[in-house]
Amino acid sequence: MNYVLLLAVPGPNMLATGSFAALHGFTATLPFAMGIGLGAAIQAFVFFVGAGLLPGGDSWEVIGRSFSAFLLAMMGWRILKSARRLCADTRASAKGPAGRLTDLAVGFGTSSTNPMSGMFFAAQFIGPAGDLPWLPALALILATAVLALSNSLAVAAVFSHAPMRRRIASALPLWSRIVAGLFVVLALLSVRPMIEALISG
């Protein structure tokens, strides 16, 4: 659910996919969208493994959850601040189809280097999802790939039609405020165990 909120706000993945679809149509965007899904899964896996290598102990949990809360709050602020600029800038770096493997690689590179997704995965696996065992974590990573792919396909379908793109642009300011507020709530939930421990202690 948290990742769905991130996907709902325009960022590098959405702008690149939307621009590609606007220029070349829905069908030509399919390999690019598959690259987006694969890149998101790989990025999530890297942060999951990296978070698992952090040392344990109460002090590290406090540091990790505090850092997680900071990342989530900063994401909310960034979403709020950059919504208008991202909405107006439809000139993403999508280039003409040069072949399916090339488009797949470009989509993978766009997604796997997306700083917003990286901040989100770091926050989740250091904070709220940090205690997940391997099997549920891998299921979560697989779901991440499916969600990223599904979102890219939906964006490609929408951005193939200019009138719908203009409607989304007009609704973005309000939607961005709502999502930014939800990320602040997630930040508070990340440090909730520490707050409860202080109150009970």
Side-chain angles (χ1 to χ4, degrees), residues 120-184:
F120 176 80
F121 294 137
Q124 289 300 302
F125 290 120
I126 292 175
D131 297 329
L132 284 179
W134 269 89
L135 190 58
L138 291 178
L140 183 62
I141 292 170
L142 177 61
T144 296
V146 173
L147 286 173
L149 173 61
S150 301
N151 181 73
S152 295
L153 294 177
V155 169
V158 169
F159 274 72
S160 298
H161 306 283
M164 184 60 70
R165 183 170 51 183
R166 288 194 293 269
R167 292 181 183 178
I168 292 175
S170 64
L172 180 60
L174 176 60
W175 178 242
S176 297
R177 292 188 184 95
I178 294 173
V179 175
L182 290 173
F183 270 97
V184 172

Side-chain angles (χ1 to χ4, degrees), residues 56-75:
D58 293 339
S59 59
W60 279 104
E61 181 180 3
V62 171
I63 294 173
R65 287 189 176 274
S66 299
F67 183 63
S68 168
F70 171 75
L71 288 178
L72 289 167
M74 189 162 63
M75 287 173 65

Side-chain angles (χ1 to χ4, degrees), residues 29-119:
T29 312
L30 293 178
F32 186 90
M34 293 176 62
I36 292 286
L38 181 61
I42 295 298
Q43 193 180 52
F45 179 77
V46 168
F47 277 99
F48 169 70
V49 173
L53 297 176
L54 292 175
D58 293 339
S59 59
W60 279 104
E61 181 180 3
V62 171
I63 294 173
R65 287 189 176 274
S66 299
F67 183 63
S68 168
F70 171 75
L71 288 178
L72 289 167
M74 189 162 63
M75 287 173 65
W77 169 250
R78 181 171 178 177
I79 288 168
L80 189 63
K81 183 178 179 182
S82 62
R84 292 182 183 276
R85 176 182 59 79
L86 288 173
C87 182
D89 185 11
T90 57
R91 299 170 300 164
S93 59
K95 299 180 180 179
R100 293 180 179 178
L101 288 178
T102 301
D103 296 339
L104 180 74
V106 173
F108 176 83
T110 300
S111 180
S112 61
T113 58
N114 184 348
M116 291 290 286
S117 297
M119 290 166 63

